[in-house]
Amino acid sequence: LQTTLLFPCPQDLYTAPDSCQGRCEEPYNEEDECHCNAECERHHNCCEDYYTYCSPEGFSSTLDAITDEDLLHISEQLYKADHNKAQPTDITINPQHQVSPDQTGDREDHSPEPLYQYVNEKLFSKPTYASFIKLLDNYQRATGKEEDVTAEELKEQDNFLKEVMKTELMKKLFTFLHKKNRYDTEQEFVADLKEMWFGLYSRGNGERDSSGFEHVFSGEVKKGKVSGFHNWIRFYLLEKQGLIDYFSHSYDGPWNTYPDVLGMQFSWDGFYKEVGSAFIGSSPEFEFGLYSLCFIARPGRACHLSLGGHHLSIQTYTWTKSTYGNGRNYIATAYVISS
């Protein structure tokens, strides 16, 4: 008798850490880069090819999938519901010099004047603006230094979430996500927003030195460069203090009203930002809502939206080195990309 030994091919022994091939319904493991069980979509930590290989039933059925058409429709609804946005008379910007995409790293100041010529600061007394601005000074911008979160700062986080959830915009977003079975109650939604945006993780030296909110809205400095920083209110307030020097822009959105979009080059207290894209004149709840929508619906991918009939995309990334709850991912970053 002749015995034949069958050895599996190397590729049969290897499962890509970012793929669901051969991993459907695999038990949750916090060390995995992404997940392939029935709960992963609710926790927004599925591998990108989850649908391809796992054809999920129940919660993740086709009925509950957030389609590209759904995103175009809900984003137009949120755009129309942004009642707290700046009106044309509230802001005057002076974009000055536009550079080509291959010039954004030149670090040359092509614009002698500030970007903001005028902002009606009465906007900042609106509850969502006021509660948002209180959050901006809660962070050390240098990564690698542990954030010290006080009881007062935790209260400010809760107050911001309370104020944005009073708005029609965020109520529409919750209704949409509830219909898609992402959240059972508004309380669950708010609790998840607090963790995904304000939960701390480490970008350097093992210290709990960063969060999605700090990175996206307040801005950080890492390895001598500005990291994150995609908010117009933060930019205006720092420019007013003389801490930001606007250099140029590489993208100007097609909108003739607010919110508009600019891709900017600037120096923050001597640290350079090569492309800092930001909505201009939007309310805090508008940005917070759109970024949250895209992180939940298209984590790690371009999320295609429609605002006032113009197409625009938002890119989000998940923080994969640590999780909260049952393997849910924090927001690493979120920003506007032109499309």
Side-chain angles (χ1 to χ4, degrees):
L1 287 173
Q2 185 177 12
T3 303
T4 303
L5 297 176
L6 297 175
F7 292 98
C9 297
Q11 60 265 34
D12 294 334
L13 295 172
Y14 175 73
T15 300
D18 59 351
S19 172
C20 280
Q21 187 172 10
R23 292 178 55 204
C24 295
E25 295 310 312
E26 180 181 79
Y28 170 75
N29 184 328
E30 65 179 12
E31 294 182 1
D32 287 340
E33 199 170 302
C34 56
H35 305 279
C36 306
N37 55 45
E39 285 293 292
C40 72
E41 191 169 45
R42 184 182 284 272
H43 295 161
H44 39 82
N45 58 15
C46 297
C47 300
E48 286 196 23
D49 59 8
Y50 177 55
Y51 285 108
T52 304
Y53 290 109
C54 301
S55 298
E57 299 296 331
F59 161 73
S60 298
S61 67
T62 306
L63 196 63
D64 291 331
I66 297 176
T67 66
D68 289 346
E69 289 73 26
D70 287 334
L71 287 172
L72 295 176
H73 182 66
I74 184 61
S75 55
E76 282 290 0
Q77 284 193 315
L78 299 182
Y79 180 78
K80 287 172 186 162
D82 188 14
H83 305 307
N84 287 327
K85 68 183 178 184
Q87 298 305 308
T89 54
D90 287 328
I91 300 176
T92 306
I93 59 171
N94 183 15
Q96 299 165 80
H97 188 77
Q98 182 165 2
V99 296
S100 62
D102 60 354
Q103 294 176 304
T104 58
D106 291 352
R107 303 190 180 211
E108 289 187 33
D109 187 355
H110 297 285
S111 304
E113 300 296 322
L115 174 62
Y116 288 92
Q117 289 188 322
Y118 169 73
V119 171
N120 177 8
E121 294 194 9
K122 287 181 181 176
L123 280 172
F124 300 159
S125 64
K126 291 174 182 269
T128 57
Y129 285 80
S131 59
F132 173 81
I133 289 169
K134 281 194 172 179
L135 294 168
L136 295 175
D137 64 357
N138 290 353
Y139 302 101
Q140 302 183 71
R141 69 180 179 186
T143 57
K145 293 184 179 178
E146 178 129 6
E147 293 291 346
D148 179 23
V149 183
T150 66
E152 181 65 25
E153 288 170 354
L154 288 172
K155 196 193 296 186
E156 288 172 357
Q157 293 172 10
D158 289 335
N159 190 51
F160 171 70
L161 291 168
K162 182 184 79 174
E163 292 299 342
V164 297
M165 287 308 301
K166 291 177 183 175
T167 65
E168 181 190 344
L169 188 153
M170 289 298 288
K171 288 189 180 300
K172 279 185 182 294
L173 176 58
F174 168 69
T175 299
F176 171 76
L177 293 172
H178 176 64
K179 284 179 180 174
K180 293 294 183 178
N181 282 325
R182 297 313 192 270
Y183 299 98
D184 292 329
T185 65
E186 189 173 301
Q187 186 179 11
E188 182 192 345
F189 178 47
V190 172
D192 199 35
L193 287 173
K194 184 169 183 178
E195 288 290 347
M196 74 169 78
W197 278 106
F198 294 103
L200 293 173
Y201 50 80
S202 173
R203 286 188 193 262
N205 300 339
E207 305 287 351
R208 297 200 324 148
D209 60 349
S210 186
S211 67
F213 186 91
E214 176 185 7
H215 182 84
V216 173
F217 293 105
S218 186
E220 299 179 297
V221 171
K222 185 176 182 181
K223 296 181 180 176
K225 290 183 180 178
V226 176
S227 182
F229 198 137
H230 301 286
N231 178 255
W232 76 270
I233 300 168
R234 174 71 161 162
F235 190 103
Y236 165 73
L237 293 173
L238 289 173
E239 188 179 58
K240 184 181 173 185
Q241 294 175 52
L243 296 175
I244 278 190
D245 185 2
Y246 170 73
F247 280 19
S248 56
H249 66 283
S250 51
Y251 173 77
D252 190 351
W255 294 268
N256 54 16
T257 184
Y258 296 116
D260 198 357
V261 177
L262 273 184
M264 297 168 287
Q265 293 69 53
F266 59 89
S267 172
W268 178 18
D269 209 13
F271 299 99
Y272 187 66
K273 180 68 177 179
E274 193 166 311
V275 182
S277 61
F279 288 105
I280 309 290
S282 58
S283 67
E285 61 266 29
F286 178 79
E287 291 177 79
F288 191 72
L290 280 194
Y291 291 151
S292 299
L293 167 67
C294 286
F295 183 69
I296 292 163
R298 298 288 185 271
R301 286 175 283 163
C303 173
H304 304 300
L305 309 176
S306 179
L307 306 178
H310 297 290
H311 282 215
L312 165 143
S313 300
I314 286 172
Q315 177 72 47
T316 65
Y317 286 103
T318 59
W319 186 257
T320 58
K321 296 177 184 177
S322 57
T323 59
Y324 66 90
N326 184 21
R328 297 191 179 212
N329 286 121
Y330 299 106
I331 290 176
T333 192
Y335 55 88
V336 181
I337 52 177
S338 56
S339 59

PDB file of all heavy atoms in Angstrom, residues 306-317:
ATOM      1  N   SER A 306     -24.285  63.814  -0.446  1.00  0.00           N
ATOM      2  CA  SER A 306     -24.777  64.894  -1.295  1.00  0.00           C
ATOM      3  C   SER A 306     -25.238  66.032  -0.400  1.00  0.00           C
ATOM      4  O   SER A 306     -26.044  65.829   0.514  1.00  0.00           O
ATOM      5  CB  SER A 306     -25.938  64.397  -2.161  1.00  0.00           C
ATOM      6  OG  SER A 306     -26.433  65.445  -2.968  1.00  0.00           O
ATOM      7  N   LEU A 307     -24.715  67.233  -0.653  1.00  0.00           N
ATOM      8  CA  LEU A 307     -25.052  68.413   0.147  1.00  0.00           C
ATOM      9  C   LEU A 307     -25.483  69.534  -0.786  1.00  0.00           C
ATOM     10  O   LEU A 307     -24.682  70.047  -1.563  1.00  0.00           O
ATOM     11  CB  LEU A 307     -23.848  68.869   0.977  1.00  0.00           C
ATOM     12  CG  LEU A 307     -23.193  67.820   1.890  1.00  0.00           C
ATOM     13  CD1 LEU A 307     -21.986  68.423   2.593  1.00  0.00           C
ATOM     14  CD2 LEU A 307     -24.179  67.285   2.911  1.00  0.00           C
ATOM     15  N   GLY A 308     -26.742  69.874  -0.734  1.00  0.00           N
ATOM     16  CA  GLY A 308     -27.250  70.923  -1.598  1.00  0.00           C
ATOM     17  C   GLY A 308     -27.078  70.620  -3.071  1.00  0.00           C
ATOM     18  O   GLY A 308     -26.846  71.522  -3.875  1.00  0.00           O
ATOM     19  N   GLY A 309     -27.188  69.345  -3.426  1.00  0.00           N
ATOM     20  CA  GLY A 309     -27.047  68.937  -4.823  1.00  0.00           C
ATOM     21  C   GLY A 309     -25.624  68.715  -5.274  1.00  0.00           C
ATOM     22  O   GLY A 309     -25.388  68.285  -6.408  1.00  0.00           O
ATOM     23  N   HIS A 310     -24.645  69.006  -4.428  1.00  0.00           N
ATOM     24  CA  HIS A 310     -23.234  68.791  -4.767  1.00  0.00           C
ATOM     25  C   HIS A 310     -22.706  67.546  -4.054  1.00  0.00           C
ATOM     26  O   HIS A 310     -22.965  67.352  -2.870  1.00  0.00           O
ATOM     27  CB  HIS A 310     -22.383  69.994  -4.347  1.00  0.00           C
ATOM     28  CG  HIS A 310     -22.740  71.261  -5.057  1.00  0.00           C
ATOM     29  ND1 HIS A 310     -22.483  71.466  -6.396  1.00  0.00           N
ATOM     30  CD2 HIS A 310     -23.348  72.389  -4.614  1.00  0.00           C
ATOM     31  CE1 HIS A 310     -22.906  72.676  -6.749  1.00  0.00           C
ATOM     32  NE2 HIS A 310     -23.433  73.248  -5.685  1.00  0.00           N
ATOM     33  N   HIS A 311     -21.966  66.741  -4.796  1.00  0.00           N
ATOM     34  CA  HIS A 311     -21.411  65.534  -4.197  1.00  0.00           C
ATOM     35  C   HIS A 311     -20.126  65.854  -3.445  1.00  0.00           C
ATOM     36  O   HIS A 311     -19.329  66.692  -3.855  1.00  0.00           O
ATOM     37  CB  HIS A 311     -21.155  64.475  -5.275  1.00  0.00           C
ATOM     38  CG  HIS A 311     -22.398  63.770  -5.692  1.00  0.00           C
ATOM     39  ND1 HIS A 311     -22.438  62.453  -6.046  1.00  0.00           N
ATOM     40  CD2 HIS A 311     -23.684  64.210  -5.775  1.00  0.00           C
ATOM     41  CE1 HIS A 311     -23.678  62.097  -6.353  1.00  0.00           C
ATOM     42  NE2 HIS A 311     -24.450  63.161  -6.206  1.00  0.00           N
ATOM     43  N   LEU A 312     -19.950  65.158  -2.347  1.00  0.00           N
ATOM     44  CA  LEU A 312     -18.788  65.342  -1.482  1.00  0.00           C
ATOM     45  C   LEU A 312     -18.567  64.030  -0.753  1.00  0.00           C
ATOM     46  O   LEU A 312     -19.512  63.277  -0.513  1.00  0.00           O
ATOM     47  CB  LEU A 312     -19.076  66.476  -0.504  1.00  0.00           C
ATOM     48  CG  LEU A 312     -18.180  66.661   0.719  1.00  0.00           C
ATOM     49  CD1 LEU A 312     -18.014  68.153   0.984  1.00  0.00           C
ATOM     50  CD2 LEU A 312     -18.780  65.992   1.942  1.00  0.00           C
ATOM     51  N   SER A 313     -17.327  63.739  -0.396  1.00  0.00           N
ATOM     52  CA  SER A 313     -17.028  62.503   0.324  1.00  0.00           C
ATOM     53  C   SER A 313     -16.317  62.805   1.633  1.00  0.00           C
ATOM     54  O   SER A 313     -15.572  63.788   1.738  1.00  0.00           O
ATOM     55  CB  SER A 313     -16.160  61.572  -0.533  1.00  0.00           C
ATOM     56  OG  SER A 313     -16.828  61.234  -1.725  1.00  0.00           O
ATOM     57  N   ILE A 314     -16.554  61.950   2.603  1.00  0.00           N
ATOM     58  CA  ILE A 314     -15.860  62.022   3.893  1.00  0.00           C
ATOM     59  C   ILE A 314     -15.101  60.719   4.090  1.00  0.00           C
ATOM     60  O   ILE A 314     -15.638  59.628   3.843  1.00  0.00           O
ATOM     61  CB  ILE A 314     -16.870  62.256   5.037  1.00  0.00           C
ATOM     62  CG1 ILE A 314     -17.355  63.705   5.001  1.00  0.00           C
ATOM     63  CG2 ILE A 314     -16.252  61.922   6.399  1.00  0.00           C
ATOM     64  CD1 ILE A 314     -18.480  64.021   5.943  1.00  0.00           C
ATOM     65  N   GLN A 315     -13.861  60.852   4.503  1.00  0.00           N
ATOM     66  CA  GLN A 315     -13.032  59.688   4.801  1.00  0.00           C
ATOM     67  C   GLN A 315     -12.917  59.551   6.318  1.00  0.00           C
ATOM     68  O   GLN A 315     -12.623  60.523   7.012  1.00  0.00           O
ATOM     69  CB  GLN A 315     -11.632  59.858   4.203  1.00  0.00           C
ATOM     70  CG  GLN A 315     -10.666  58.727   4.516  1.00  0.00           C
ATOM     71  CD  GLN A 315     -10.983  57.448   3.766  1.00  0.00           C
ATOM     72  OE1 GLN A 315     -11.219  57.478   2.554  1.00  0.00           O
ATOM     73  NE2 GLN A 315     -10.985  56.328   4.461  1.00  0.00           N
ATOM     74  N   THR A 316     -13.197  58.354   6.826  1.00  0.00           N
ATOM     75  CA  THR A 316     -12.958  58.087   8.231  1.00  0.00           C
ATOM     76  C   THR A 316     -11.974  56.927   8.364  1.00  0.00           C
ATOM     77  O   THR A 316     -11.829  56.126   7.434  1.00  0.00           O
ATOM     78  CB  THR A 316     -14.251  57.710   8.987  1.00  0.00           C
ATOM     79  OG1 THR A 316     -14.748  56.464   8.468  1.00  0.00           O
ATOM     80  CG2 THR A 316     -15.310  58.783   8.845  1.00  0.00           C
ATOM     81  N   TYR A 317     -11.328  56.854   9.509  1.00  0.00           N
ATOM     82  CA  TYR A 317     -10.488  55.701   9.838  1.00  0.00           C
ATOM     83  C   TYR A 317     -10.775  55.272  11.264  1.00  0.00           C
ATOM     84  O   TYR A 317     -11.041  56.108  12.138  1.00  0.00           O
ATOM     85  CB  TYR A 317      -8.996  56.032   9.682  1.00  0.00           C
ATOM     86  CG  TYR A 317      -8.564  56.121   8.247  1.00  0.00           C
ATOM     87  CD1 TYR A 317      -8.353  57.365   7.642  1.00  0.00           C
ATOM     88  CD2 TYR A 317      -8.376  54.980   7.472  1.00  0.00           C
ATOM     89  CE1 TYR A 317      -7.970  57.458   6.311  1.00  0.00           C
ATOM     90  CE2 TYR A 317      -7.990  55.062   6.139  1.00  0.00           C
ATOM     91  CZ  TYR A 317      -7.787  56.304   5.571  1.00  0.00           C
ATOM     92  OH  TYR A 317      -7.411  56.396   4.249  1.00  0.00           O
TER      93      TYR A 317
END
